[in-house]
Amino acid sequence: NGVLWTLLEPDGTPPQEIIALNPRTGERTGSTIRLQEGVDAKAICFAVDGRLLVADAGPAQQVHIYDFSSGESPRLADTFGSHGGIYAHPAGRFGDLRFNMPSAVGSDADGNIYVTHRGSTGGGSTVLESYTPKGQLNWRLFGLHFVDMADVDPESDTEVFTKEERFTMDYSKPPGRQWSYEGYT
């Protein structure tokens, strides 16, 4: 709509804001989105349909979707992902739409939504996921280990643990495809 939307870093005074700037002068246009209390926005992007996507690393662990179609101030229209993310019941269970500290969000011309979130609290790890507009997983890439060591459960050689993750092994699959990410511990 001819403006540049930017996410303001939190200044300790809630709520966090997304503001519109004149791209030529850098001055505020007066349009502001005040995010809900508790939202810890890390990234924003516009989807092809004009909706604004906001990656929230706060308690909700979701993507908030704002609609501009009413002609008035943008309004929260929907959320994407499980409320609470990986911390929702059962806490720590990894799975589709269970984000862990979402840090980036994107969208493509087909309306697919891309979310980057953490695989661990110590940093150095990332999960990148692509979903259809209806929330079906397209694909997922893992970059879970920076410096870590895995250990096999002495009771079962198919259960493997690192400092923060639990994996299940299926040795009948080809190398590199034997593991599956089961949980954040």
Side-chain angles (χ1 to χ4, degrees), residues 142-159:
F142 292 101
L144 293 176
H145 299 286
F146 176 62
V147 178
D148 203 348
M149 183 67 166
D151 195 10
V152 177
D153 185 334
E155 300 291 320
S156 169
D157 67 351
T158 61
E159 298 299 313

Side-chain angles (χ1 to χ4, degrees), residues 94 119 142-145 148-153 156-171 178-185:
F94 178 78
F142 292 101
L144 293 176
H145 299 286
D148 203 348
M149 183 67 166
D151 195 10
V152 177
D153 185 334
S156 169
D157 67 351
T158 61
E159 298 299 313
V160 178
F161 293 84
T162 64
K163 69 180 180 171
E164 294 181 329
E165 295 89 18
R166 181 174 65 84
F167 299 90
T168 299
M169 301 295 292
D170 180 350
Y171 298 107
Q178 298 170 331
W179 62 275
S180 61
Y181 181 31
E182 298 294 332
Y184 175 71
T185 61

Side-chain angles (χ1 to χ4, degrees), residues 47-79:
V48 70
D49 62 5
R51 296 178 307 155
L52 177 68
L53 309 180
V54 179
D56 176 15
Q61 299 289 305
Q62 293 178 300
V63 174
H64 300 283
I65 302 172
Y66 287 84
D67 184 8
F68 286 71
S69 65
S70 69
E72 299 171 13
S73 297
R75 63 174 182 79
L76 180 63
D78 205 354
T79 58

